[in-house]
Amino acid sequence: MPILENLWIIPLLPLLGSAINGLLGSKWPNKIVNGVAVGSTGLAFACALEAVREFSQLPADQIPFVKQYFTWISAGTFRAGFDLQIDQLTVVMLLVVTGVGWLIHVYSTGYMAHEGGYYRFFSYLNLFMFFMLILILAANYVLLFVGWEGVGLCSYLLVGFYFLRKSAADAGKKAFIVNRIGDFGFMLGMFLLFKTFGTLDFVPLFAKAVPMPAESIGQYGTLTIACLLLFVGATGKSAQLPLYVWLPDAMEGPTPVSALIHAATMVTAGVYLVARSHVLFLHAPSAMVIVAIVGCATALFAATIGLVQTDIKKVLAYSTVSQLGYMFLGCGVGAFSAGIFHLMTHAFFKALLFLAAGSVIHAMGGEQDMMKMGGLSKKIKWTYLTMLTATLAIAGFPPLAGFFSKDSILLSAYQNDNGGKILYGVGLFTALLTSFYMFRLIFLTFFGKQRYDEHHVHVHESPNNMLVPLMVLAVLSIIGGWLAAPAFWGGTDYFTKFLEPVFAAGATEAASAEAAAHALEIPLAIVAVITATIGLGVAYWLYLKKPEKPGELAKSMKGAYTTLLNKYYVDELYAAVVVKPLLWLSTHVLWQTVDVQMIDGAVNGIAHGTSEVGDGVRHAQSGNTRSYAVWVVIGAIVVIAIIFWPYLRPTAIGMVR
């Protein structure tokens, strides 16, 4: 059975795994739960590989390959079907989601082995995979939105997995609510697109958009507004300013969740949405400028916060927000291939960083504070080597994956006409900060003096089912960017070439800049490597050579240090400006006034009045026969009066006469 004709099989497998474990897993030992969860995602990965093989044999005129299975919603001229499609962009996302997702499932069998609710965890994780696959395979915005909302639901369930812990429950609610704000913008964008084009299917919608004239910079026409509304949804899902606040708190979930959802897959959905809608964004340059500025600002903003965090997962969380900013910077300057390239390499090294951090936490008996670690490189060597590999990759050292993808984005930003030099400068400075805080993490965790009590913490290496995924991801973090390597010697960037048919609308513009790009490639790459080296050197000097210096700097720059440590007080600002006023409004106006006094008051008043009438009538039931006789007589008189009243009125009497 050809998988390409039956793409629904790929998301169905993890859905079945989720249903089976969710319904029956509570009665099974961990081994059977593992078999269902890991087996279903492994089969999905195998089917994805087969689908990609079949896709590679399709003629160019059949791409994108769209398969319509059934009509889901039909109303007048509107149709939304369960339609799946695959093109080059889908191939990249499909392999990342199923491949990295499967590795994280394998890792989770070791990390979560002694946790309660084991079957429930894997049921949620499989369900997430189902919705993420629906999101990337969808052939229209409506079905994509189903996957979009589904991964948001799974994020809520997995972040709040330790639901008895208040901080985890609050983090889950925060993630859910903040994402709903962004999703409202996404829905408005879809409504506007349907009003404009009469369809939400990608192929016909983009075909109608291509011949439309591009709106000029500063013009906010229909396409620009639609793109900005879609971008609002992307800022929520991909944790960009100002809707990034949920992601750092989401570290309350188990570490494999952080790796899968909040590093490798779900948070990249916003980048995927912008890249998928590139035809619209290329017709809305004002929207692209805003995407680039927001991405660049988010990258710098989050990187500065990461400089002083001491929780190992919080450092990686702010690093994720920062790297997502890089991806949006790439898309905003029109380098959609570069943005997706960084999405892919980031999935490798950031998933590795989170899983390696989980291995450290596992070795430390649950400790996450880097100030209580130190000297671990000799005790957990494999964890150290894999995490160092990922750190070199994210810092942008050649020949690791992050070097090539980050270089592509910085080069494209430098060449952009709309403030490109400024965007490049901010991106380069952010790269320096990234190198610094990541090597700070390495030095605090694995080097220096031992800052934990061996009598209470028995440091030990993780089991093989945790280490093997780390090693595979380490290899991918090394070689994952080599597809772009030939471009440095005037050759072909094979990743960009592979995605070229998808982003064909910008192909002419890209071709005209190709010669200039080759001339700038190596000089800008050298500058980027020197910048990363400076970040490494400063971290080495502060945390290994002069370990007392960070404390001295924190005291001498107390205001700046406290501001960064408290994350610019953004959460407190939101609490004061948004949360508390809404709570006051809901408590004093909607609840106490509208609900209690008006609605409940009216209902209770009617009930009270009815009760009073009933009580009065009840007293008439005295049990006294003479009293009943009197009431019978009174009732008879009333009935007779009602019957004969029309004939007793003066006008009626006159008519009788």
Side-chain angles (χ1 to χ4, degrees), residues 220-239:
Y220 291 88
T222 300
L223 289 181
T224 300
I225 294 172
C227 288
L228 289 176
L229 288 170
L230 294 178
F231 183 57
V232 169
T235 59
K237 196 67 71 186
S238 293

Side-chain angles (χ1 to χ4, degrees), residues 313-330:
K313 287 179 66 177
K314 284 289 178 71
V315 174
L316 297 179
Y318 283 105
S319 171
T320 299
V321 175
S322 182
Q323 296 302 307
L324 288 165
Y326 265 110
M327 297 173 209
F328 280 110
L329 171 60

Side-chain angles (χ1 to χ4, degrees), residues 95-149:
L95 294 179
V96 167
V97 171
T98 56
V100 175
W102 180 62
L103 288 173
I104 293 172
H105 274 73
V106 173
Y107 175 94
S108 300
T109 61
Y111 189 87
M112 299 295 292
H114 305 293
E115 297 286 349
Y118 189 81
Y119 77 96
R120 181 167 53 89
F121 173 82
F122 278 103
S123 178
Y124 294 163
L125 215 59
N126 277 183
L127 186 63
F128 166 80
M129 287 281 287
F130 162 72
F131 280 119
M132 192 68 203
L133 289 168
I134 289 294
L135 189 155
I136 60 177
L137 287 167
N140 56 67
Y141 281 107
V142 180
L143 191 58
L144 185 151
F145 190 70
V146 172
W148 186 275
E149 290 296 286

Side-chain angles (χ1 to χ4, degrees), residues 354-366:
F354 267 110
L355 295 186
S359 185
V360 171
I361 295 166
H362 179 268
M364 293 292 297

Side-chain angles (χ1 to χ4, degrees), residues 152 155-156 159 170-180 246 250 262:
S155 176
Y156 165 74
V159 170
D170 289 346
K173 288 183 284 187
K174 186 175 184 179
F176 193 78
I177 292 168
V178 172
N179 272 273
R180 296 294 75 71
W246 66 270
H262 306 125

Side-chain angles (χ1 to χ4, degrees), residues 223-541:
L223 289 181
T224 300
I225 294 172
C227 288
L228 289 176
L229 288 170
L230 294 178
F231 183 57
V232 169
T235 59
K237 196 67 71 186
S238 293
Q240 298 295 284
L241 289 170
L243 300 179
Y244 74 95
V245 291
W246 66 270
L247 183 57
D249 288 13
M251 296 303 109
E252 289 289 341
T255 300
V257 172
S258 304
L260 178 63
I261 295 185
H262 306 125
T265 53
M266 188 192 93
V267 291
T268 60
V271 182
Y272 171 76
L273 174 66
V274 173
R276 176 58 72 195
S277 308
H278 70 280
V279 172
L280 304 176
F281 279 88
L282 287 171
H283 285 72
S286 296
M288 290 189 67
V289 169
I290 292 173
V291 171
I293 291 172
V294 170
C296 197
T298 303
L300 177 62
F301 179 84
T304 58
I305 297 176
L307 297 175
V308 299
Q309 300 302 310
T310 57
D311 185 313
I312 190 170
K313 287 179 66 177
K314 284 289 178 71
V315 174
L316 297 179
Y318 283 105
S319 171
T320 299
V321 175
S322 182
Q323 296 302 307
L324 288 165
Y326 265 110
M327 297 173 209
F328 280 110
L329 171 60
C331 292
V333 297
F336 296 102
S337 294
I340 296 299
F341 191 23
H342 197 55
L343 183 157
M344 181 187 76
T345 60
H346 178 265
F348 300 151
F349 59 69
K350 185 52 67 66
L352 175 54
L353 283 168
F354 267 110
L355 295 186
S359 185
V360 171
I361 295 166
H362 179 268
M364 293 292 297
E367 182 59 65
Q368 296 184 198
D369 189 347
M370 295 185 298
M371 306 311 292
K372 298 178 182 178
M373 297 179 187
L376 295 176
S377 62
K378 296 178 181 178
K379 299 193 175 185
I380 47 174
K381 292 181 181 179
W382 286 110
T383 298
Y384 160 65
L385 289 172
T386 53
M387 196 164 199
L388 178 62
T389 302
T391 300
L392 290 167
I394 193 175
F397 285 98
L400 285 84
F403 164 74
F404 295 101
S405 58
K406 191 177 290 186
D407 178 74
S408 297
I409 291 173
L410 291 176
L411 174 63
S412 300
Y414 187 86
Q415 294 178 293
N416 189 260
D417 295 329
N418 298 315
K421 303 296 187 294
I422 297 173
L423 295 172
Y424 168 79
V426 175
L428 190 65
F429 181 63
T430 302
L432 187 150
L433 298 182
T434 301
S435 179
F436 172 79
Y437 68 65
M438 286 309 305
F439 280 101
R440 170 180 176 266
L441 181 152
I442 291 291
F443 296 143
L444 284 175
T445 304
F446 296 102
F447 293 93
K449 292 191 302 182
Q450 178 179 306
R451 297 183 298 277
Y452 58 88
D453 186 353
E454 285 189 342
H455 296 292
H456 294 90
V457 179
H458 174 59
V459 179
H460 57 287
E461 188 60 276
S462 299
N464 289 336
N465 54 352
M466 293 173 65
L467 288 179
V468 171
L470 296 185
M471 295 173 189
V472 174
L473 288 168
V475 172
L476 291 172
S477 297
I478 294 170
I479 68 172
W482 291 1
L483 289 169
F488 280 84
W489 296 277
T492 302
D493 182 337
Y494 290 104
F495 188 86
T496 300
K497 187 176 179 63
F498 177 71
L499 288 178
E500 195 173 276
V502 178
F503 303 122
T508 304
E509 185 180 323
S512 64
E514 191 171 352
H518 286 314
L520 287 169
E521 188 94 34
I522 293 178
L524 292 183
I526 292 172
V527 171
V529 173
I530 292 172
T531 302
T533 305
I534 292 171
L536 187 161
V538 174
Y540 176 80
W541 184 72

